[in-house]
Amino acid sequence: MHHPFTPVASVPVDEACARVHEEGWQSWSPSGAYALGDKPYRPTNANWATVCYRPGVTVPEGTFQGEGLLALDPGDGSPVRLWAAVDPTREVPSIRLAVVDGQAEVSADGAVKEWTGATVQSVLGDWASSLQLPAPRPAPTVWCSWYEYFTAVTEDDIHENLRAMETLDLPIAVVQIDDGYQKALGDWLTLSGRFRSRAGIADAIRARGRRAGIWTAPFLVDPASDLAAEHPEWLVRDTDGGFTHAGRNWGHDLRVLDTTHPEAAAYLTDVFRTLRAEGYDYFKVDFLYAGALDGVRHDGDMDALTAYRSGIELIREAIGEDAYLLGCGAPILPSIGLFDAMRVSPDTAPHRRPEADDYSQPGQDPAEFTGVGRQWQHGRFWVNDPDCLMARPAVETRERWAAHVEATGGLMASSDRLLSLDEWGVATTRRLLGGADL
């Protein structure tokens, strides 16, 4: 529920030197610092507005807006000022800043507290530290199938790369199977035709001394799935009685699993308990924004953010505290305290520029911009995931991308067909992944 914007502060600024940090809603939402004359990154179409930004929120032209966090360096030597949500896991107000006659006029549509500090990143870090979360455990090193094979990954591809890890002597702890092993979004325990046995491939990974990891998008449901056909009562509805729309991807208009429905919750619990029992202990859960979308749920008294957090807590209980949980496409502030690691940027890509120059879309430039802007979260909320290293020769500006991944000090994951790496690619992959314990 959105409330009217009310004034919070009026701050004199040096318009030539001032900087504003916008915090985006979720992993893929652009986040970072801008000069006052810059035009902040905004969605370039309605679908991306739903899938990658805060749904239903439009920012006026000429206005900066942070979701739960907004920082201002006035540029005149006075302290940096930060406005932050009072209880970010329960309510995330939008915070706006517009400059009028040399004054930054700040307003918000909910309660905020103010902090001051020396720099933008330091005051954000001070605020994060004040929440007093336990230090996150170190991330294992990972090989992920996504950026080479995408949804066409096969069981044979996994076996090939398992052998290559040994041949190339790469320090990879986790082999994570990404999107493509399952029949459909929602039908997580039914295999696509490209995999023979999910438990069998986990056994093969573990037999070679590595850990098995797997990808899901637990709150998304493909309308063509068996789940959608057999259990429409498990899906979140809109106020008109239709299905809540979670955006369009994979050629389908996506729906949302209602984890407040006892049978849907039991199903999701069974999915993750089954995967854990098969030997998977590293879980990448993706497209999590869907779980926080507004809608009509079975438990009509539960708001969207509470439903989201309860859904993640259900997953954690199913996989156990010892399993490693990586979030992606997740609402950032509502996820505090739930994850071991978190994707803090949009997807990278073999190319630099994103489609339509939308900085929520895959590309090295947007991944670097937001990854740098969220560096303050690393080690305070979770281990930052800057997204995967791609070191094969076909990747544009691979040296620059590798340098960015290394500089974050976060989760180190390779996503190449390992036999396609040249000498530089092997050496770089070995070096970046060599710092974590197996």
Side-chain angles (χ1 to χ4, degrees):
M1 180 181 296
H2 301 294
H3 302 286
F5 281 83
T6 58
V8 171
S10 181
V11 184
V13 293
D14 180 335
E15 296 189 46
C17 300
R19 303 278 289 178
V20 178
H21 172 91
E22 290 187 340
E23 184 63 30
W25 173 242
Q26 55 121 307
S27 300
W28 307 323
S29 308
S31 297
Y34 301 91
L36 294 186
D38 292 342
K39 187 173 182 179
Y41 298 115
R42 299 289 182 251
T44 58
N45 67 46
N47 187 54
W48 293 342
T50 296
V51 175
C52 301
Y53 294 80
R54 191 171 193 173
V57 173
T58 302
V59 184
E61 191 73 22
T63 301
F64 295 97
Q65 180 164 307
E67 304 304 337
L69 292 171
L70 186 137
L72 168 67
D73 180 346
D76 58 5
S78 60
V80 172
R81 299 173 70 168
L82 169 69
W83 296 274
V86 174
D87 185 352
T89 63
R90 294 182 59 83
E91 185 177 10
V92 183
S94 297
I95 308 166
R96 289 178 176 171
L97 183 152
V99 177
V100 181
D101 297 329
Q103 293 282 126
E105 304 294 345
V106 181
S107 60
D109 66 357
V112 297
K113 286 186 176 181
E114 184 175 328
W115 293 70
T116 59
T119 68
V120 167
Q121 287 280 310
S122 70
V123 74
L124 286 163
D126 290 345
W127 174 77
S129 296
S130 76
L131 301 179
Q132 298 184 318
L133 295 174
R137 52 183 158 172
T141 56
V142 179
W143 178 86
C144 167
S145 63
W146 179 248
Y147 286 108
E148 181 72 61
Y149 303 100
F150 299 96
T151 57
V153 64
T154 70
E155 186 166 326
D156 291 339
D157 295 326
I158 306 300
H159 284 292
E160 179 198 282
N161 283 280
L162 270 172
R163 294 190 295 270
M165 292 169 202
E166 295 182 356
T167 301
L168 299 173
D169 191 25
L170 294 174
I172 292 168
V174 174
V175 177
Q176 183 231 307
I177 303 167
D178 214 278
D179 187 10
Y181 69 89
Q182 79 287 353
K183 177 185 174 185
L185 301 176
D187 298 340
W188 300 110
L189 299 182
T190 305
L191 292 174
S192 69
R194 295 180 297 279
F195 280 75
R196 297 177 290 277
S197 170
R198 198 177 45 247
I201 193 67
D203 287 344
I205 292 168
R206 297 168 71 203
R208 291 177 179 266
R210 308 183 196 274
R211 296 165 58 186
I214 199 160
W215 173 95
T216 59
F219 303 139
L220 287 184
V221 177
D222 186 331
S225 66
D226 293 341
L227 186 152
E230 296 170 7
H231 297 287
E233 72 278 11
W234 292 3
L235 305 180
V236 179
R237 299 278 179 161
D238 61 29
T239 54
D240 295 326
F243 295 108
T244 290
H245 181 56
R248 185 171 180 82
N249 205 347
W250 298 278
H252 294 277
D253 292 315
L254 301 171
R255 298 173 184 172
V256 181
L257 186 70
D258 181 3
T259 56
T260 75
H261 192 293
E263 293 178 4
Y267 167 73
L268 198 61
T269 295
D270 180 61
V271 166
F272 281 93
R273 283 181 177 168
T274 298
L275 294 173
R276 187 71 179 87
E278 289 175 347
Y280 295 91
D281 70 353
Y282 177 99
F283 295 86
K284 179 181 177 180
V285 286
D286 205 350
F287 291 81
L288 297 180
Y289 70 88
L293 290 172
D294 289 333
V296 179
R297 290 174 165 82
H298 179 80
D299 184 343
D301 295 327
M302 189 178 294
D303 65 89
L305 293 189
T306 303
Y308 165 71
R309 286 184 64 88
S310 68
I312 300 298
E313 288 164 353
L314 178 153
I315 292 168
R316 170 57 81 185
E317 183 177 359
I319 64 175
E321 290 296 327
D322 59 329
Y324 204 85
L325 187 61
L326 164 64
C328 187
I332 290 292
L333 298 190
S335 296
I336 291 171
L338 296 177
F339 293 93
D340 296 301
M342 175 64 72
R343 171 74 73 74
V344 292
S345 70
D347 281 12
T348 187
H351 50 269
R352 291 220 64 89
R353 301 301 298 174
E355 184 180 349
D357 213 32
D358 187 313
Y359 262 48
S360 71
Q361 294 305 293
Q364 295 169 32
D365 281 344
E368 286 183 12
F369 174 79
T370 296
V372 168
R374 286 185 169 146
Q375 186 62 27
W376 59 275
Q377 297 175 8
H378 179 58
R380 295 184 174 98
F381 291 164
W382 36 60
V383 173
N384 279 15
D385 172 17
D387 209 3
C388 296
L389 171 70
M390 291 181 292
R392 56 190 182 269
V395 173
E396 184 180 347
T397 60
R398 59 177 178 163
E399 296 87 353
R400 177 175 163 181
W401 176 246
H404 167 72
V405 171
E406 184 174 22
T408 69
L411 191 153
M412 297 290 159
S414 162
S415 196
D416 292 298
R417 177 176 180 249
L418 295 173
L419 293 181
S420 73
L421 295 175
D422 59 5
E423 184 177 352
W424 182 90
V426 170
T428 300
T429 302
R430 186 180 294 132
R431 179 168 57 80
L432 266 62
L433 273 59
D437 295 332
L438 294 180

